[in-house]
Amino acid sequence: MLRLATYADVDDIVRIYNQALKPGIFATSQVAPDTSDERIAWLREHQDAYPAFVYEIENDKVIGWCSLSRSSVRPEYSGVAETSHYVDEGHQGKGIGNLMLAHLIETATKLGFRLLVSRVLERNLRSAKGAASLGFQRAVLLHEALRIRGEWHNDVWIWKKL
Ligand SMILES: CC(C)(COP(=O)(O)OP(=O)(O)OC[C@H]1O[C@@H](n2cnc3c(N)ncnc32)[C@H](O)[C@@H]1OP(=O)(O)O)[C@@H](O)C(=O)NCCC(=O)NCCS
């Protein structure tokens, strides 16, 4: 079940996000683990127009989260939101990522956004596949744009018109 994230979910959000920093996952350029304090501040910014959700299963266990974020501080870009979605490593490949991304698309449409954007490392095949099947298109590929643990990576910017 997807529901709005609360401050009680912060530790689960951090736990799931930090799993994605491990070598070989290629989910994010971040290497240093996230902290609960950083996520509390993040959640404060993820209310109302830019919501965050958690995916909860039996016994109130949180196994995923997703969010819409501001894409730019400039007000002219207020119609564009950035998507993020993360699934607990023990529950990946079962359709939950796609389900959460579809929920973000539906939510963003209801909130009146016009475009969704996301940045994906090219080697993150699962993320790229799921986004493509939900109608995201590749806008640009930045060849060897970032270096993680001594290795160059291509950065792909994807977008979807709502
Ligand atoms: C990326 C992520 C959110 C996808 O969620 P998921 O629940 O694991 O994936 P889903 O089961 O919804 O499948 C998504 C797509 O990947 C495909 N897929 C599933 N397992 C796969 C695998 N082992 N290898 C390649 N593709 C795979 C699915 O077929 C689906 O593609 P389709 O829509 O064309 O059928 C999740 O794996 C995750 O949290 N990864 C680490 C963090 C991350 O990369 N977040 C995204 C940052 S941009």
Side-chain angles (χ1 to χ4, degrees), residues 46 49-51 67-72 77-84 101 104-105 107-109 111-119 136 158-162:
H46 284 82
Y50 297 97
S67 61
L68 294 173
S69 299
R70 194 183 295 278
S71 68
S72 169
Y77 287 95
S78 63
V80 185
E82 187 172 349
T83 64
S84 300
L101 191 53
L104 291 179
I105 293 168
T107 303
T109 305
L111 287 169
F113 288 105
R114 297 176 51 250
L115 298 182
L116 288 177
V117 294
S118 187
R119 290 170 65 166
F136 279 78
I158 58 175
W159 71 289
K160 178 178 169 70
K161 184 147 177 49
L162 300 176

Side-chain angles (χ1 to χ4, degrees), residues 20 27 85-87 92-98 124 126-127 129-130 133:
H85 61 312
Y86 289 79
V87 179
Q92 292 176 1
K94 298 175 184 167
I96 296 167
N98 274 8
N124 191 344
R126 201 144 42 179
S127 183
K129 264 185 90 178
S133 71

Side-chain angles (χ1 to χ4, degrees), residues 20 22 24 28-29 32 38 41-42 44 47-49 52 58 62 105 113-114 119 128-129 140 144-146 153 160:
K22 291 180 189 168
T28 166
S29 57
E38 284 166 329
W42 173 89
R44 215 173 279 135
Q47 310 287 330
D48 306 322
E58 65 276 6
V62 169
I105 293 168
F113 288 105
R114 297 176 51 250
R119 290 170 65 166
K129 264 185 90 178
V140 65
E144 296 189 345
L146 65 159
H153 287 272
K160 178 178 169 70

Side-chain angles (χ1 to χ4, degrees), residues 3 8-9 12-13 15-16 53-65 88 91:
R3 61 164 175 78
D9 299 314
D12 284 316
I13 292 171
R15 174 181 58 77
I16 293 166
F53 302 91
V54 293
Y55 190 88
E56 197 175 64
I57 55 171
E58 65 276 6
N59 303 322
D60 302 337
K61 187 171 165 49
V62 169
I63 58 153
W65 64 267
D88 181 286
H91 297 267

